[in-house]
């Protein structure tokens, strides 16, 4: 059983020290943050996102953010990702830390048989704020296109 730290979003963003790894904590190559496993098969989102794209994006792109975050945190006390967020920009961790956080959220919010127009309170709030779901998608896509990271934006 793994001991994990849960962020407000329910994401597993704990430093490696709390993940029950067999690597000793004093090992020089013991990274603070590690790539979480993809919560579904690489091909689970086909035909929308193919397995090769998912594998590359998860195993290499997301891993690059983690590698850079671990380099930036080398020699610093262990921390969980959420605790780094308030001072991330000043500490120059916002790109690597934000990339890791965004990708964790990305993997956990995508899934087979997921998505579509929201209903209930969220759907009502979006209709009130944006006019319609289609209007929201257009405004959100336009906002995301102008952000570093090729389209990351949060509602």
């Amino acid at each position: 059983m793994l001991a994990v730290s849960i962020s407000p979003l329910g994401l597993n963003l704990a430093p490696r020290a709390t993940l029950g790894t067999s690597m000793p904590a004093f090992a020089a190559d013991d990274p603070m943050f590690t790539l979480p496993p993809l919560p579904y098969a690489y091909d689970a989102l086909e035909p929308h996102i193919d397995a090769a794209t998912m594998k590359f994006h998860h195993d290499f792109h997301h891993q690059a953010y983690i590698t850079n975050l671990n380099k930036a945190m080398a020699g610093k006390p262990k921390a969980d990702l959420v605790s780094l967020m308030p001072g991330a920009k000043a500490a120059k961790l916002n790109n690597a830390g934000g990339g890791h956080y965004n990708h964790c959220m990305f993997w956990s919010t995508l899934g087979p048989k997921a998505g579509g127009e929201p209903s209930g309170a969220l759907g009502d709030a979006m209709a009130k704020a944006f006019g319609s779901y289609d209007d929201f998608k257009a405004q959100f896509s336009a906002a995301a296109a102008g952000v570093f990271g090729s389209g990351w934006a949060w509602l």
Side-chain angles (χ1 to χ4, degrees):
M1 185 166 138
L2 298 176
V4 297
S5 170
I6 303 298
S7 77
L9 294 174
L11 304 176
N12 176 3
L13 301 174
R16 183 179 178 138
T18 64
L19 292 178
T21 179
S22 60
M23 181 179 272
F26 59 82
D29 62 348
D30 183 22
M32 189 177 299
F33 298 97
T34 58
L35 184 67
L38 193 63
Y40 36 79
Y42 292 116
D43 65 354
L45 303 180
E46 289 183 350
H48 306 289
I49 305 175
D50 65 271
T53 299
M54 289 296 289
K55 184 168 181 51
F56 178 81
H57 200 85
H58 178 265
D59 295 2
F60 298 100
H61 186 67
H62 186 175
Q63 181 61 59
Y65 282 113
I66 294 167
T67 299
N68 290 333
L69 181 58
N70 283 327
K71 285 179 187 175
M73 292 299 293
K76 296 180 178 155
K78 296 273 185 187
D80 65 55
L81 191 55
V82 173
S83 73
L84 298 175
M85 291 172 72
K89 192 168 188 174
K92 298 187 185 319
L93 298 172
N94 55 317
N95 186 15
H100 178 33
Y101 188 90
N102 285 339
H103 278 82
C104 288
M105 186 169 68
F106 182 72
W107 308 129
S108 68
T109 58
L110 291 177
K113 300 181 178 119
E117 186 169 349
S119 59
L122 177 60
D124 293 344
M126 289 175 71
K128 183 177 179 182
F130 298 99
S132 71
Y133 183 61
D134 286 335
D135 289 342
F136 158 73
K137 290 190 301 184
Q139 291 177 49
F140 196 71
S141 295
V147 176
F148 172 80
S150 302
W152 286 109
W154 293 17
L155 172 64

